[in-house]
Amino acid sequence: MVDYLIVGLGLAGISFCEVLERNKKSFKVISDDSQTSSVVAGGLYNPVTLKRFTLAWNAKEQLDLAIPFYSELERKLDIQLDYKIPILRRFASINEQNLWFEASDKPNLGHFVAPKIHSNHNPNIEAPFGYGEVLHTGRIDTAVLLLHYGNYLGDKDLILRETFDFEALKLRDGFVEYGGFKAKNIVFATGFGIKNNPYFNYLPLNGTKGELLTIKAPALKEERVIKSSVFIIPLGKDMYRVGATYKWKDKSNTPTEECKQELLQKLNTFLKCPYEVVDHVAGIRPTVSDRKPLVGRHPEHENMYLLNGLGSRGVMIAPMASMQLYALIENKEAVAPEMDLSRFTKKHFRN
C-alpha cells in the first residue's frame, strides 16, 4: 500500500508529488497527458493584474512559496526552469500612466510596481507612452518541467502512463484500490479532465481555451516581456511566445485559424519588424466560475481529494495549493476558504 495515488501530472500533480517527496510519503501517479494546459502555458509568474493594475489574489504569499519551490526543483532535476524576466506593461495613453502612478502608491502594490515610466528604446516596438515595470516577475519553463519530471518519476517506477479507469477504482474503508495496488488516499489533479470525473463533475469548472503562437523575429532583440493587447515573451534565440486568447465555448485542444488571426492582428498594432510564425498551440485552462482554485476533500468520500482550478496563474498558485492540501490531509488543517471546494458542496447534493 502507498500513501497516495495521484491522477494527473500537470503543474498541480507535479507540485503535489513534490510536497509528498519532501515529506517522505509514498505515491504512484497515473497520467495519460490528455490535458495540455500546463504544456502550452506561457509560464509567467506575475503578481499584478495588468488590465486594472491591481494585486492578484494572495500574490505575495504565492510567490514567497513558489520561488524557492522551483529553485529546489531545478537543483533536484539539474535543469533551469526559472528565468527572471522583467514584465513591461505598454501604456496606451497618458491616463494609463497616471493610473500606474496611483497603483505604485498603494501599500500592497508598491512592492511590485516600479514607480516610474520607462521610455521605449526599441525601434521595432511602437510604445509612444512608454512602459510600467512589474517587479519580482519571471517565467517557469513548464514544458521542460513536465518532460523532466515525468522522466524522473518513470526512472523511479512511480508513474503509469494510462487513462484512468473510474470503473476500476474501488473505495474501501480507509483506503482505495486501483489496478492491483492500494493507496490510503487518492488525489485528482486532472485540470479540465475533471469533466470526465463522476465524483467531481458537479463543480463549476468551466475552462477557458487559450491559444499561443511562437514567432521568430531576428530583428526584435527584446529580452523583457512586453504586455500590450497580447504578451510577447522572449524564449531566446530570436524566438518569442505570443498570447493568449480566452475562449469559453470551444473545449478542444485544436488550434484555430480564427484565434491565430486574432493574435496576429493585436500583435501587429505595436510590433513593427518582420517575423515568422513557427508554432501554434492550444489548451484548456482549468478556470472556475469564481476564479479561485478547487482544493479539498470530497463531500462524501473521506479518502478522496481534489487539486484543481489553478487557472491562468498556475505556476504561482500550484505550490501553495499543494502545501495546503497536504496540511489538510495529514494535519487536519483547514484550507483557505477561498480555495476550499466545500464552498460548492450544495451543488454536489443537488445533483
Side-chain angles (χ1 to χ4, degrees):
M1 182 177 303
V2 295
D3 294 314
Y4 289 85
L5 174 62
I6 303 165
V7 185
L9 196 67
L11 279 170
I14 287 175
S15 296
F16 195 69
C17 287
E18 271 303 283
V19 172
L20 295 180
E21 280 220 327
R22 295 176 192 186
N23 286 279
K24 298 183 174 16
K25 298 294 183 179
S26 57
F27 62 89
K28 281 272 190 180
V29 177
I30 298 175
S31 177
D32 62 3
D33 299 328
S34 62
Q35 301 305 310
T36 62
S37 61
S38 294
V39 179
V40 305
L44 293 180
Y45 53 89
N46 165 31
V48 179
T49 302
L50 291 176
K51 186 175 182 179
R52 296 179 296 274
F53 304 158
T54 55
L55 193 65
W57 169 72
N58 235 359
K60 188 174 188 309
E61 179 186 352
Q62 292 169 16
L63 278 179
D64 287 345
L65 293 172
I67 300 306
F69 188 90
Y70 292 115
S71 177
E72 174 61 21
L73 269 172
E74 288 179 316
R75 184 201 62 76
K76 174 177 179 174
L77 301 176
D78 193 27
I79 54 174
Q80 183 174 2
L81 298 170
D82 187 359
Y83 295 82
K84 309 293 186 184
I85 306 174
I87 296 178
L88 299 185
R89 168 59 153 82
R90 176 182 175 268
F91 296 129
S93 64
I94 295 293
N95 182 55
E96 284 197 339
Q97 291 181 347
N98 293 332
L99 292 173
W100 186 264
F101 283 125
E102 290 177 17
S104 68
D105 284 336
K106 295 178 180 178
N108 293 332
L109 270 170
H111 181 66
F112 297 110
V113 174
K116 67 175 183 177
I117 304 299
H118 289 270
S119 298
N120 177 45
H121 300 293
N122 190 331
N124 296 301
I125 297 177
E126 186 176 297
F129 299 101
Y131 307 101
E133 182 182 358
V134 187
L135 307 173
H136 311 295
T137 58
R139 178 177 70 90
I140 300 297
D141 194 328
T142 54
V144 167
L145 172 58
L146 266 68
L147 173 64
H148 284 264
Y149 206 86
N151 291 339
Y152 169 79
L153 294 182
D155 291 343
K156 300 181 72 172
D157 195 27
L158 295 177
I159 185 168
L160 301 175
R161 298 287 188 180
E162 63 185 48
T163 300
F164 189 82
D165 180 3
F166 286 96
E167 292 187 1
L169 178 64
K170 307 300 180 187
L171 305 181
R172 308 300 189 194
D173 186 14
F175 64 98
V176 301
E177 283 188 49
Y178 182 87
F181 61 89
K182 303 174 183 178
K184 296 176 184 176
N185 304 285
I186 184 168
V187 175
F188 290 101
T190 55
F192 189 66
I194 192 177
K195 291 300 183 181
N196 299 317
N197 186 325
Y199 297 100
F200 289 108
N201 59 10
Y202 69 93
L203 291 164
L205 190 146
N206 301 317
T208 52
K209 183 176 182 178
E211 300 195 30
L212 300 100
L213 304 176
T214 301
I215 64 170
K216 185 170 186 178
L220 181 52
K221 304 304 179 190
E222 183 57 66
E223 296 181 352
R224 303 161 299 181
V225 174
I226 306 297
K227 172 64 172 80
S228 183
S229 49
V230 290
F231 276 102
I232 298 180
I233 305 172
L235 303 176
K237 298 182 179 178
D238 298 325
M239 308 292 280
Y240 301 85
R241 182 70 57 85
V242 176
T245 58
Y246 286 80
K247 302 296 180 183
W248 294 91
K249 292 183 179 179
D250 182 1
K251 304 301 185 186
S252 74
N253 290 322
T254 305
T256 64
E257 183 64 23
E258 176 189 358
C259 284
K260 178 181 179 180
Q261 293 305 318
E262 177 185 332
L263 290 170
L264 293 177
Q265 183 178 10
K266 291 178 178 179
L267 179 65
N268 291 339
T269 62
F270 65 97
L271 183 63
K272 301 304 175 185
C273 65
Y275 62 85
E276 174 191 0
V277 177
V278 297
D279 197 17
H280 181 192
V281 294
I284 309 298
R285 306 176 189 89
T287 50
V288 185
S289 58
D290 63 2
R291 303 298 181 93
K292 299 294 189 300
L294 296 169
V295 181
R297 179 184 286 112
H298 188 274
E300 293 185 89
H301 304 298
E302 285 294 311
N303 305 95
M304 183 179 291
Y305 298 87
L306 188 70
L307 181 60
N308 210 320
L310 304 186
S312 59
R313 295 181 184 271
V315 295
M316 287 176 55
I317 296 174
M320 179 192 73
S322 298
M323 293 174 194
Q324 290 212 14
L325 179 60
Y326 181 82
L328 168 70
I329 301 171
E330 296 292 335
N331 305 320
K332 311 302 180 190
E333 296 178 15
V335 172
E338 300 97 327
M339 295 195 302
D340 195 333
L341 61 83
S342 66
R343 66 192 189 273
F344 297 116
T345 294
K346 289 181 180 178
K347 288 182 177 291
H348 168 71
F349 289 108
R350 279 204 299 265
N351 285 2

